[in-house]
Each structure stands twice: as C-alpha cells, then as structure tokens.
Amino acid sequence: MTPHATIDDFVAAEVLTPGDALMTARLGRITGESAPLPLLALAFALRAVRHGSTCFDPRQDPEVPGLAWPDAEAWLEAVRASGLGRVLVAEHDLLYLDRYRELEVALCDDLAARAATTPPALDEQRLTADLDRLFPGDEHLDQRAAAERAARVATIVLTGGPGTGKTTTVAGVLAILQAQSLATLGRPLRVALTAPTGKAAARMREAVVATAARLALTDDERAWLTGLPSSTMHRLLGWRHDNHTRFRHDRNRRLPHDVVVVDETSMASLEHVARLLEALRPDTRLILVGDADQLASVEAGAVLHDVVAGWSSEHVVRLTRSHRFGAGIGRLAAAVRDGDADTAVDLLTAGEPSIRLVDPARAHAELESTLLPLARDLVAAGRSGDEATALARLARHRLLCAHRDGPHGATTWNDHVTAWLRPDVGYDEWYPGRPVLVTRNDAPLAVFNGDAGVVVARDEHVLVALDGDPVRELATSRLPDVQTGYAMTIHRSQGSEFDHVTVLLPGAESRAMTRELLYTAITRAVTGVTVIGTPEDIRTAIGRRVARSSGIAERLAARAAVR
C-alpha cells in the first residue's frame, strides 16, 4: 500500500464512512494503537459488520483506483502485532471484532452440542402410522422423509424455496411429536413458534392454521395445532430495557419449551440465533426453517445460508419440489438460484405469458398500464367499503424495487401512481382505496412492519382494513407509521406472496442488484413475473453474489470432522 492510502483516502473514495473513521479513532485512543495498518483493518472490520458480514476478509479487495490493497498476510500480521488486543482478533485468515467472533464460536459450539444430543426414543409403530396418515402418497414423499428425519434428531434445518412444503412438514412434525408426548409423557408439548419479525411470526401462525385444515388430523390435534401462539424472537427471549444485546432468557434462565420452531430463519441475524441457542434447554428440539437462497438479515450474519453450507447432512434437509409455482416461474427461479444466466434470459425472452422481460425504455408505459388500473379498482372498492374485494385485488399484483428511493425506487413509483390518481381522489392523504404498508411495529395493536392494508370508506369517515385472518379495521389515527403500497422494496417483500409481481431493475451499475435479490423478487410471485430490465441487467445481477464474510460454515465443518 502506498504511504498515502489512509483511512481518510478510503473515506474520500466512499468505501469507508466518516462513522467508520470516527469509531476507529476512538478505539485507537482507548487501546493506545496508532499504527496505520491495524487501524485501517479495524475500520474495514467495522465496515464489514455494517455491510452484513461478521468479519473482515482481507482477501476481498474493493478495487479502488489509485489505492493499492495490502497482501492479506500483511493485514493479519499487523493485527496480531498490534495493541488492539481483544477489540480486533485475527483467526482463520479473517479479522473479527471480538464480539462477533464470540457469537460465532458460541453458535457453532451450541450447534455441535445439539448434534451430539440423542432425543428420547420414539414409539416406532405410532411414528409409522402417523407418517402414513399425514403424508400419504408419492406427492408427499419428500415431506414425509423430512418429517421423519426431524422426529429423529434434536435439531433440524428445513430449507427450500417457496411452495416446497416447509410449513406442511413442520405442522406434520409437530403433530407427530405431540402424539409421542401424549403417549409417553401424558402431557401436550410446549411449543414456541417464532420468527425474526412480527410480520413473519404472524404469517407463520396463519400458515400453520391453514395447513392444519388440510392435513388428516384428528379434531384434538387440529385444535391443539391451530391454538399455538407465535411471537418474534425478541419477545420469546424476553426484551431487556437495560441491555440491548442480551435477553431475559439465557444460559442461566432457559426457555421452558419442548420444541422451538424458527420460521424465515434467513432473515435472522447472528446475534438473535446465537442468543436463542444459548437460551434453549439441552433437551429442547429446535427446527430452523427458511430459504437459504433468499436475502439474508439486514443485520450482521447469514446464519441459515452458512449453517446449510457447513453443517452435517444429518441435520439439514432441503425440500426441492415446488407446489406453488407454475412451471415457468419455477424454472426461472431455479436458473437464477443456480447462477444460470443464459437459461434465465432465454426463459424471460421466450414469449411465455407468465414470465417476460420488458425493455427499460418502456418502463413508464408498462407500469402505468399495470398500476393505474389496479389503483382505480382499489379506489372503487374502497369507496364502496368492500374491503374483501380491495384486499383481494391488492394481492394480485405488487411492484418490487431494489431501492427505496431514486428513479427506480418504491417511493418514486408510489408517488407516480398517487399523482396519476389526483384527478379522481384529490389531495386527501387517506383517500379510499389507498394501499398502505405498515413500516413500524405496534405490538399492543398486533400490527407489524410489513403488514398491508387498504383504506375503505365507512359512513362519513375512513378506516384501514388490514389483511389477515380475520381482516381488522383500524382508525387511521391508531396506526403506526405507514407508506403507500403500490410498490415496495424487495427486502420488505420477504415472506409475502402475490399472484403477479413486476420487478423493476435499477440497472447494471447498481450494486444493490444481486442474485439473491433477484431470486427473492421472482419467488414472491405465484402465477406471473414481469422483469423490467435488459438481458445484460439480468446477467449482471445473476453474476453478482451478496458477499458476506463469515467463518460459521468452516467452523461447523471442522467440528463435524472431529466427531
């Protein structure tokens, strides 16, 4: 590295932020370290966490013109010889802020201990009968095999794309384990259903209730399963007002549950998964559920992806048969997931009605022709107070954007649609038919970030009808923060599904557009996908992976090798 390549140089190049520089300077003063290279490493470790990694990989050169990148070993040796002590640690050719190294080690130690745990013996005859009853026929063979595996181990990871039957498998496993508990212990299971966000937790419970209606359950089994509550991981662990990184439940005060199911685990941060694992009793069964190929948590860590990549196949089951998509969407999602850009472009340009590619030059016309009829239908239903029609119409389409702001952002296109409607609805913010997205949790109201609704007329006033089972009507003054919802970011769409989605790509120059983001957007659709972009945009997105550095997969693989 040239002598002039300093933290300030990387801040000027917009690789580091002023906040990274300020925090590094503060920690340097505390530790007494003033050498440029270890402090630069510390600044990049802070940046790594801010970008979702749990560590800084010095082999990942950001390739800033004019700023040479040190050899990876030079970084590591500088940190080992520095006075940064436990603030920054070099391990396995990676550089960790010590807190994140401790979380990684604790998580992997706990998973290794759980892998060595043998659950109680099963009533084999009862297990076979329940598997036959709950997963009949060839159509459910993969779910049956996954459920049987889950019943035989203390910890299981169920991963797979949307519609592959993860919830069906979970509901079946819970019914099986409940029957075993009643037969051997004489009491019902204590089960916790949890997820990283309030929206995901609510959707999980709705999905379990819907699945219970389809499974061949007894009346008692169905009543028990549909009566299980769900909560966020925060609420399950017990929020502490005096400490934002610890919870009421920990190694000294364990959770009381026999089974804990975590849905949408891809959205869970390293912090939350590690804290959950330490709070479980050794004999508690753990079922981690999610799509390892989707976007990861907005916080540090891609835990589900790393665990699937590194853990023993005995504890990881991947469901692959989709029961949700049409064939075209399924093939497109698989091509994107697998990095097959040629097939993805061919599918989008082959003329199949359910999946198509629209030139960005036609973006405005395409979106106006799609969104304006939707908006007018919502206004008509909202004015007549027909909440069922309004919510059903809203679920038929959503515009998904990589960005929140800017010319390709969700906010911009929500503003466009609102402007198109002004001659019809005037300038009242709460016009009947306005779709809204909740952007802040309100636990007492059971309203969560990501919930969707439509404004409907009621006599001389308006209410917001929030989608759910049942639909709830709330006064506009009672709602937490909301935004207009014709369009939403792809990040916010996780856990949702729509009949048709339009995906607005921001162009190849946007670093936000990655394979994981495109895959997540496409898999929100049930019957149709329109992508606005060029073939080159598609190829660029598929070729760009989310780069998150972590040592979890390697740690788990090393522990498995020792066994």
Side-chain angles (χ1 to χ4, degrees), residues 111-149:
L111 284 177
R114 298 188 66 79
T117 299
T118 301
L122 299 169
D123 180 329
E124 294 292 339
Q125 185 175 355
R126 184 181 300 276
L127 173 64
T128 300
D130 286 341
L131 288 168
D132 290 343
R133 171 172 60 98
L134 296 168
F135 302 101
D138 293 343
E139 182 182 359
H140 300 290
L141 282 177
D142 55 345
Q143 295 163 12
R144 177 193 171 109
E148 181 173 3
R149 179 84 62 82

Side-chain angles (χ1 to χ4, degrees), residues 172-416:
V173 169
L174 292 178
I176 288 168
L177 295 178
Q178 166 76 341
Q180 296 278 335
S181 180
L182 291 174
T184 59
L185 301 178
R187 64 166 178 83
L189 283 178
R190 295 166 295 190
V191 176
L193 304 179
T194 188
T197 68
K199 174 189 172 185
R203 297 293 183 269
M204 179 189 192
R205 186 177 184 284
E206 291 172 8
V208 168
V209 169
T211 301
R214 298 193 302 268
L215 289 176
L217 300 169
T218 67
D219 290 342
D220 287 344
E221 288 172 333
R222 186 170 291 106
W224 172 78
L225 197 58
T226 57
L228 295 176
S230 64
S231 70
T232 64
M233 296 173 74
H234 271 102
R235 178 166 289 187
L236 176 68
L237 289 168
W239 183 259
R240 282 175 51 176
H241 296 289
D242 63 326
N243 191 322
H244 294 304
T245 63
R246 305 295 301 188
F247 297 90
R248 285 194 304 110
H249 290 286
D250 54 23
R251 294 192 195 280
N252 297 316
R253 187 180 182 183
R254 307 275 186 159
L255 289 164
H257 304 90
D258 302 305
V259 182
V260 173
V261 183
V262 183
D263 199 18
E264 298 288 356
T265 311
S266 65
M267 300 168 62
S269 67
L270 170 63
E271 174 96 49
H272 287 147
V273 180
R275 299 305 185 206
L276 175 65
L277 284 169
E278 74 174 22
L280 297 180
R281 300 195 327 258
D283 60 343
T284 297
R285 291 177 181 268
L286 176 63
I287 304 175
L288 300 175
V289 187
D291 186 347
D293 299 308
Q294 274 191 188
L295 289 166
S297 166
V298 295
E299 300 176 62
V303 177
L304 182 65
H305 176 274
D306 293 340
V307 170
V308 169
W311 211 19
S312 164
S313 59
E314 181 184 358
H315 298 277
V316 177
V317 175
R318 182 182 286 272
L319 298 169
T320 58
R321 181 179 179 181
S322 178
H323 303 270
R324 185 174 104 180
F325 300 129
I329 298 176
R331 290 197 300 271
L332 176 61
V336 173
R337 180 196 66 209
D338 297 339
D340 188 349
D342 289 340
T343 297
V345 171
D346 288 346
L347 288 167
L348 282 164
T349 56
E352 182 173 335
S354 65
I355 50 174
R356 62 193 187 101
L357 188 67
V358 173
D359 192 303
R362 294 186 53 243
H364 196 282
E366 172 70 25
L367 291 173
E368 184 172 3
S369 67
T370 301
L371 296 176
L372 189 52
L374 162 65
R376 286 174 172 160
D377 287 350
L378 291 176
V379 169
R383 284 175 172 168
S384 66
D386 188 349
E387 63 184 29
T389 297
L391 291 170
R393 182 69 177 91
L394 183 61
R396 284 168 54 188
H397 180 272
R398 194 61 53 90
L399 171 61
L400 303 181
C401 304
H403 298 286
R404 185 183 63 182
D405 302 311
H408 300 91
T411 300
T412 298
W413 284 97
N414 282 324
D415 290 345
H416 281 323

Side-chain angles (χ1 to χ4, degrees), residues 333-522:
V336 173
R337 180 196 66 209
D338 297 339
D340 188 349
D342 289 340
T343 297
V345 171
D346 288 346
L347 288 167
L348 282 164
T349 56
E352 182 173 335
S354 65
I355 50 174
R356 62 193 187 101
L357 188 67
V358 173
D359 192 303
R362 294 186 53 243
H364 196 282
E366 172 70 25
L367 291 173
E368 184 172 3
S369 67
T370 301
L371 296 176
L372 189 52
L374 162 65
R376 286 174 172 160
D377 287 350
L378 291 176
V379 169
R383 284 175 172 168
S384 66
D386 188 349
E387 63 184 29
T389 297
L391 291 170
R393 182 69 177 91
L394 183 61
R396 284 168 54 188
H397 180 272
R398 194 61 53 90
L399 171 61
L400 303 181
C401 304
H403 298 286
R404 185 183 63 182
D405 302 311
H408 300 91
T411 300
T412 298
W413 284 97
N414 282 324
D415 290 345
H416 281 323
V417 180
T418 303
W420 296 335
L421 281 179
R422 287 302 180 202
D424 298 328
V425 301
Y427 289 86
D428 185 357
E429 178 185 13
W430 294 102
Y431 58 88
R434 178 194 176 194
V436 295
L437 284 173
V438 176
T439 58
R440 181 170 58 83
N441 292 338
D442 187 326
L445 276 181
V447 174
F448 302 108
N449 186 354
D451 283 350
V454 179
V455 178
V456 294
R458 285 289 181 268
D459 299 325
E460 299 301 317
H461 59 281
V462 295
L463 296 170
V464 175
L466 284 178
D467 197 11
D469 185 17
V471 173
R472 292 184 298 145
E473 292 186 350
L474 295 175
T476 59
S477 60
R478 296 190 67 196
L479 281 174
D481 297 341
V482 299
Q483 65 185 35
T484 301
Y486 301 105
M488 65 194 304
T489 63
I490 297 169
H491 272 280
R492 193 177 292 280
S493 74
Q494 286 183 273
S496 301
E497 68 175 53
F498 311 97
D499 288 346
H500 190 110
V501 299
T502 300
V503 185
L504 179 59
L505 300 187
E509 71 282 357
S510 171
R511 300 297 298 179
M513 201 59 229
T514 62
R515 183 187 304 179
E516 291 81 2
L517 199 76
L518 182 58
Y519 171 82
T520 300
I522 288 169

Side-chain angles (χ1 to χ4, degrees), residues 35-113:
L37 191 52
L39 289 179
L40 186 60
L42 175 57
F44 271 96
L46 292 167
R47 173 185 182 267
V49 170
R50 185 164 47 78
H51 284 205
S53 295
T54 59
C55 56
F56 163 48
D57 186 344
R59 293 162 293 190
Q60 293 183 354
D61 184 350
E63 299 180 357
V64 181
L67 299 180
W69 193 250
D71 177 74
E73 191 57 37
W75 287 100
L76 297 168
E77 288 302 320
V79 170
R80 292 187 185 109
S82 76
L84 291 175
R86 289 179 57 82
V87 175
L88 188 66
V89 179
E91 185 177 27
H92 301 154
D93 297 331
L94 299 169
L95 295 172
Y96 286 89
L97 297 176
D98 186 64
R99 175 167 170 265
Y100 289 93
R101 177 192 170 274
E102 288 183 353
L103 286 170
E104 263 198 16
V105 170
L107 180 144
C108 293
D109 285 347
D110 285 337
L111 284 177

